[in-house]
């Protein structure tokens, strides 16, 4: 809130629009990522099933005593093999499966002594360039506990340091014992390459879209809200008693015009109030002047009256003295 309080309306609206556009693009990207992830997972499962079907078919044909049971959906249901050779020197069968599927394929054999499954034939190549024959599955991985229960494992597994999307189908003996594993898998990098490619292209496409959208929204917002700062400045001028300012955009018929008309009414009321205050000041000045003149007249009248009273008093004193003198003269005359 403190940040927004320091921004103007145009900046806030532009920022909000940019955030909404980013959120919308992010949501679209997330949805596309989820859809692609589901599609890639489904594609990985489909490729695993295809590889296992091809591998089971070739193994059934080239390895005597192998019997494949098929599920209603056409995928491998159960693999039964009379025996798995301890040593397989000819790997042409597994290479043929690899050429047909383009994936990795392995036949494991159970070893009662080590209680683990060992690769007898495979087209997986070790980092040194040799075939990964004679390497074990390992008891610590996620595959071992699933397969030893007689279940098919599907999922991601790390094989000789490389992540794969895999399927491990247990191989049964005619007596029903688990004697090996038929494996098919595809490198995770090959599956995720599509997602990475699409994600990179989406990012490349989203950046110019985001820039163009934010720029267009900023220009549109600035164009739409440009009158507001001008109207606000006019309102500030009116508040500072600059009543001669012209309020813009009063001719518009939208909300901007309504705000401008309201500010114009405020300006007219301010002018009227100023005129009334001026008239009141003039009236008060005239009243004070009249009062001052009245006080002057009263003071002059009071001075004149006091002067007259003094003069009359002096005359009365003089007359009284004259009367006394005349009375004395008359008395003196009478005595004579």
């Amino acid at each position: 809130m403190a940040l927004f309080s320091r921004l103007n309306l145009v900046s806030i609206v532009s920022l909000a629009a940019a955030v909404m556009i980013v959120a919308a693009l992010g949501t679209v990207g997330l949805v596309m990522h989820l859809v692609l992830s589901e599609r890639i997972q489904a594609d990985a499962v489909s490729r695993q099933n295809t590889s296992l079907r091809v591998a089971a078919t070739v193994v059934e044909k080239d390895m005597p005593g192998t019997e494949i049971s098929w599920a209603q959906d056409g995928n491998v249901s159960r693999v039964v093999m009379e025996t798995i050779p301890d040593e397989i020197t000819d790997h042409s069968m597994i290479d043929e499966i690899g050429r047909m599927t383009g994936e990795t394929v392995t036949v494991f054999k159970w070893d009662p002594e080590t209680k683990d499954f060992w690769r007898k034939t495979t087209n997986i190549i070790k980092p040194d360039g040799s075939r990964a024959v004679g390497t074990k599955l390992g008891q610590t991985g996620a595959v071992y506990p699933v397969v030893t229960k007689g279940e098919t494992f599907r999922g991601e597994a790390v094989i000789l340091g490389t992540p794969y999307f895999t399927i491990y189908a247990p191989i049964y003996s005619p007596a029903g014992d688990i004697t090996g594993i038929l494996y098919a898998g595809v490198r995770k990098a090959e599956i995720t390459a599509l997602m990475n490619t699409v994600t990179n292209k989406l990012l490349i496409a989203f950046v110019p879209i985001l820039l163009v959208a934010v720029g267009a929204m900023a220009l549109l917002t600035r164009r739409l809200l440009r009158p507001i700062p001008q109207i606000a400045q006019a309102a500030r001028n009116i508040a500072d008693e600059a009543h001669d300012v012209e309020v813009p955009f009063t001719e518009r018929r939208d909300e901007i015009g309504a705000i401008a008309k309201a500010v114009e009414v405020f300006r007219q009321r301010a002018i009227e109030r100023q005129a009334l205050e001026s008239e009141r000041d003039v009236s008060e000045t005239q009243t004070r002047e009249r009062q001052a003149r009245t006080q002057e007249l009263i003071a002059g009248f009071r001075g004149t009256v006091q002067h007259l009273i003094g003069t009359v008093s002096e005359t009365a004193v003089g007359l009284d003295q004259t009367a006394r003198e005349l009375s004395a003269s008359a008395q003196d005359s009478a005595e004579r």
Side-chain angles (χ1 to χ4, degrees), residues 20-280:
M20 292 179 65
I21 292 172
V22 170
L25 291 177
T27 302
V28 172
L30 178 60
V31 171
M32 294 185 67
H33 183 272
L34 294 176
V35 172
L36 283 174
S37 297
E38 293 179 358
R39 185 68 186 86
I40 288 173
Q41 292 293 336
D43 182 62
V45 172
S46 176
R47 291 175 66 173
Q48 291 168 4
N49 290 330
T50 301
S51 297
L52 189 63
R53 287 196 301 268
V54 173
T57 302
V58 174
V59 168
E60 184 180 30
K61 181 185 66 175
D62 292 354
M63 295 187 70
T66 302
E67 182 180 349
I68 307 298
S69 299
W70 302 94
Q72 293 182 354
D73 58 1
N75 292 317
V76 176
S77 174
R78 187 179 179 90
V79 179
V80 178
M81 190 177 296
E82 289 185 359
T83 182
I84 301 175
D86 290 331
E87 295 294 336
I88 299 178
T89 58
D90 185 6
H91 303 285
S92 58
M93 177 190 70
I94 214 75
D95 291 337
E96 180 185 358
I97 297 172
R99 287 192 297 270
M100 295 173 65
T101 62
E103 316 293 357
T104 55
V105 185
T106 301
V107 174
F108 290 85
K109 182 177 182 179
W110 170 256
D111 182 23
E113 292 184 6
T114 60
K115 296 187 181 300
D116 208 340
F117 296 92
W118 293 79
R119 293 178 178 87
K120 297 303 178 180
T121 180
T122 181
N123 61 352
I124 295 177
I125 304 301
K126 294 190 292 186
D128 60 2
S130 62
R131 199 181 294 267
V133 173
T135 57
K136 62 182 178 179
L137 174 67
Q139 301 177 0
T140 58
V143 179
Y144 186 89
V146 175
V147 175
T148 52
K149 292 179 182 179
E151 300 175 359
T152 298
F153 175 86
R154 293 178 182 272
E156 184 177 343
V158 178
I159 303 174
L160 301 178
T162 303
Y164 285 81
F165 286 111
T166 64
I167 180 170
Y168 290 81
I171 299 175
Y172 295 90
S173 67
D177 299 324
I178 299 175
T179 57
I181 302 172
L182 180 59
Y183 152 87
V186 57
R187 284 185 175 87
K188 182 180 179 180
E190 297 179 6
I191 296 295
T192 57
L194 174 61
M195 177 179 290
N196 295 334
T197 301
V198 173
T199 301
N200 292 335
K201 289 183 178 180
L202 284 176
L203 290 176
I204 294 174
F206 278 2
V207 169
I209 291 174
L210 177 61
L211 294 177
V212 172
V214 171
M217 184 60 68
L219 291 176
L220 180 61
T221 302
R222 187 175 297 275
R223 182 177 181 83
L224 291 176
L225 300 181
R226 183 182 59 185
I228 292 181
Q230 300 182 30
I231 296 174
Q233 183 60 44
R236 284 193 293 269
N237 293 335
I238 294 171
D240 293 337
E241 297 185 356
H243 300 153
D244 57 342
V245 66
E246 181 181 357
V247 180
F249 307 108
T250 54
E251 73 283 356
R252 293 180 59 156
R253 297 183 179 181
D254 55 4
E255 290 79 1
I256 300 296
I259 295 175
K261 291 183 179 68
V263 175
E264 175 63 21
V265 171
F266 174 71
R267 186 180 75 89
Q268 295 296 336
R269 297 286 175 81
I271 293 174
E272 293 175 1
R273 185 177 65 255
Q274 187 179 40
L276 291 175
E277 290 176 354
S278 299
E279 293 178 359
R280 184 183 62 190

